[in-house]
Amino acid sequence: MRVAVMASGRGSNFDALHRSSLDPVNPAEIVVVVSDQPGAPVLEKARRFTVPVEVIDPGTRRGAWSQAGVGAALDALRRHRVEAICLAGFMRVLPSEIVGAFPNAILNIHPSLLPAFPGLRAQRQALRAGVKVTGCTVHLVDEGVDTGPILVQRTVPVEPGDTEDTLANRILEQEHRAYPEALRALAEGRVTVEGTSVTLAPTLT
Ligand code: GAR
């Protein structure tokens, strides 16, 4: 399965997805990294692994995309014959034209146990709420913000004295396990979606 990773920043999840895709039995292949940030470190990482990169300009600083921005993104995805997309720290909501073009084939990772703490600074939200357990979620993308059927979640304890950074790092370790697991399940055709409920069939190996 030909996969695009869309990312705006550091790219540690891209790294984890790419490493896992190098396993010859994994049918997921990262064929392009698409970023809305020309200086994003993820682009350097991709180049180091000789993964093609595309920088797109959504046309607005925040919120709605311009028609030209949507067209450029769809064009890049089509040129690389992309079949599925992983949002990995892509800090923009995808426009409905892109969501609609890849039904049940766009994944996102979020650093909380959704539906708790959607949106920005999920770790800070968790600390402020005083929860003892948080984690990460991989879900299918619909037109909402951090909504859509959930594929994989992993829990992480909140420790006394945690800061946003220490908690984010502990969650990130689990993100790097959850995301490759979810993408591989999608690529192997082991994902069944019924309404808001997703079933992952077990691996054959
Ligand atoms: C990750 O923690 C990811 O869960 C979060 O951005 C970070 C990207 O890190 N995404 C969101 O908050 C989306 N709502 P990375 O660039 O090292 O993969």
Side-chain angles (χ1 to χ4, degrees):
M1 173 180 266
R2 297 176 64 81
V3 178
V5 173
M6 296 183 76
S8 303
R10 163 183 63 181
S12 71
N13 277 290
F14 156 69
D15 206 340
L17 291 168
H18 178 259
R19 278 175 206 282
S20 134
S21 76
L22 297 179
D23 181 339
V25 300
N26 186 349
E29 185 193 357
I30 312 297
V31 295
V32 63
V33 169
V34 178
S35 184
D36 59 337
Q37 298 295 329
V42 67
L43 295 172
E44 207 35 62
K45 281 202 171 88
R47 290 190 186 104
R48 218 179 304 141
F49 293 130
T50 65
V51 174
V53 303
E54 297 274 353
V55 177
I56 51 153
D57 176 7
T60 53
R61 263 175 59 83
R62 280 172 189 277
W65 293 44
S66 69
Q67 272 313 311
V70 175
L74 281 172
D75 178 61
L77 295 167
R78 289 194 185 117
R79 270 189 288 109
H80 291 274
R81 291 180 287 118
V82 166
E83 298 167 293
I85 300 172
C86 288
L87 304 182
F90 189 68
M91 301 316 260
R92 277 180 177 270
V93 177
L94 280 191
S96 55
E97 294 91 332
I98 297 181
V99 176
F102 295 89
N104 284 347
I106 307 180
L107 302 182
N108 181 42
I109 189 151
H110 184 74
S112 74
L113 296 175
L114 290 171
F117 315 133
L120 296 174
R121 305 192 85 156
Q123 303 89 345
R124 178 190 281 197
Q125 294 184 56
L127 288 173
R128 287 192 174 161
V131 295
K132 304 294 185 208
V133 176
T134 182
C136 62
T137 302
V138 182
H139 64 96
L140 286 163
V141 170
D142 59 16
E143 286 176 27
V145 175
D146 300 321
T147 56
I150 292 170
L151 274 81
V152 174
Q153 291 188 305
R154 294 182 77 99
T155 58
V156 172
V158 179
E159 306 283 6
D162 258 341
T163 63
E164 245 180 285
D165 280 350
T166 58
L167 182 57
N169 287 335
R170 197 174 311 115
I171 295 172
L172 208 54
E173 282 177 29
Q174 299 308 316
E175 293 186 36
H176 297 162
R177 296 177 186 193
Y179 216 173
E181 177 191 336
L183 176 59
R184 185 163 170 184
L186 186 74
E188 289 180 345
R190 290 188 285 110
V191 173
T192 308
V193 186
E194 280 173 80
T196 55
S197 167
V198 176
T199 314
L200 265 61
T203 37
L204 295 174
T205 52

